[in-house]
Amino acid sequence: MKRAVRASLLAALLLAAGCAKDDTVLYGEYAMGTVSGRSIISDGGLTYDVAEQQCPGLLDTMKRVLFRCDILRRTGNDRYDIRLREMQSVLCKDPIEATSMDGDAVGDDPVRAISIWSGNGYLNFLIGIAVLNGSDTRHFINLVHDGASPSADTLYFSLRHNAYGEYFGAEGMEDAYFELGRSYVSFPVGRFIPEGRESMPVRIFWRWHAEEDGRPMKETDTFSAAGEIRRGR
């Protein structure tokens, strides 16, 4: 009899657990956005207020973030409470004008644009650079705007990298061991769109290693990608 009672209680507990209410609107939302206090304004125009945080980091010390969250509830027009699951600070820099840049400081070392996308007036990159194993040298990434371009119908930019002499193929680095480091970076470019226009074609250039049989060579080629950017909200 006792065994039957225990079995009934266990079945009841399992049933209760299975019927526990979960009002979460959406799990595993990925987005990039701009931080405002304890909120994130996504590039899609939604405001996410952090009601719960399950990852390390101080959100209010960051400017741009790539994040994963669960959307808990809607609290207003285009506004939601979220459970923050992961976040990564994203480097955010203003583009440099080609006519006023310091070429030595900006550099022209190899950098790979692994992925490029736009949103809310930003050009976003997942970049790859060769990093010398064991080195603590800081690398600098910039986006250069070519305002003197002959075409008034397209915005032209070049992704630039200063490795301070520590890059694959550099003089004196023949026997050095490099790894591919990856990082996210955002540049606000909406201000380059002329008044009266909401969007504009864009072309981006970068210099990266040529390949032979799938292996990177010391020599580099110039690569480019084309797309469109829209003025930010």
Side-chain angles (χ1 to χ4, degrees):
M1 182 64 179
K2 289 183 178 179
R3 183 175 300 172
V5 171
R6 290 196 187 102
S8 298
L9 286 172
L10 178 59
L13 288 171
L14 289 174
L15 180 61
C19 295
K21 189 176 182 181
D22 184 356
D23 293 327
T24 302
V25 175
L26 180 66
Y27 286 96
E29 169 80 347
Y30 275 96
M32 184 175 282
T34 302
V35 176
S36 177
R38 288 287 296 170
S39 300
I40 305 171
I41 296 108
S42 78
D43 287 350
L46 303 179
T47 298
Y48 293 136
D49 299 314
V50 179
E52 303 175 22
Q53 182 171 332
Q54 296 183 347
C55 61
L58 298 174
L59 183 65
D60 56 6
T61 65
M62 304 177 186
K63 182 175 182 180
R64 291 274 289 172
V65 289
L66 180 68
F67 65 101
R68 180 172 69 91
C69 70
D70 300 332
I71 300 178
L72 301 177
R73 64 191 68 87
R74 183 180 179 183
T75 59
N77 188 30
D78 293 334
R79 194 170 195 125
Y80 298 86
D81 280 347
I82 65 168
R83 178 188 301 117
L84 192 58
R85 305 291 296 274
E86 297 176 28
M87 65 176 173
Q88 179 177 339
S89 182
V90 175
L91 176 65
C92 185
K93 304 180 70 172
D94 287 324
I96 297 172
E97 290 289 352
T99 53
S100 60
M101 74 175 186
D102 181 340
D104 290 336
V106 172
D108 194 23
D109 299 328
V111 56
R112 180 186 177 191
I114 299 171
S115 181
I116 309 171
W117 70 100
S118 63
N120 196 24
Y122 287 89
L123 274 177
N124 305 299
F125 295 81
L126 171 59
I127 64 165
I129 58 174
V131 179
L132 181 63
N133 188 41
S135 174
D136 58 0
T137 296
R138 293 183 63 191
H139 293 235
F140 283 85
I141 301 295
N142 283 287
L143 188 69
V144 176
H145 172 235
D146 183 4
S149 167
S151 173
D153 295 326
T154 303
L155 294 173
Y156 290 89
F157 297 93
S158 60
L159 187 65
R160 303 287 287 269
H161 170 217
N162 191 341
Y164 292 92
E166 293 186 358
Y167 62 90
F168 179 61
E171 185 177 353
M173 293 284 171
E174 290 79 8
D175 298 322
Y177 177 74
F178 288 89
E179 297 177 341
L180 181 66
R182 298 187 178 198
S183 183
Y184 291 94
V185 59
S186 286
F187 300 93
V189 297
R191 63 185 173 88
F192 294 107
I193 299 176
E195 290 295 329
R197 298 188 62 166
E198 290 302 315
S199 65
M200 198 163 180
V202 61
R203 181 167 288 277
I204 303 130
F205 297 89
W206 65 93
R207 195 165 66 84
W208 184 243
H209 299 282
E211 291 187 358
E212 185 176 80
D213 299 327
R215 295 176 299 174
M217 303 171 60
K218 294 180 180 179
E219 294 77 12
T220 61
D221 281 338
T222 298
F223 300 84
S224 70
E228 184 182 57
I229 58 169
R230 299 189 65 82
R231 188 185 301 277
R233 285 174 293 277

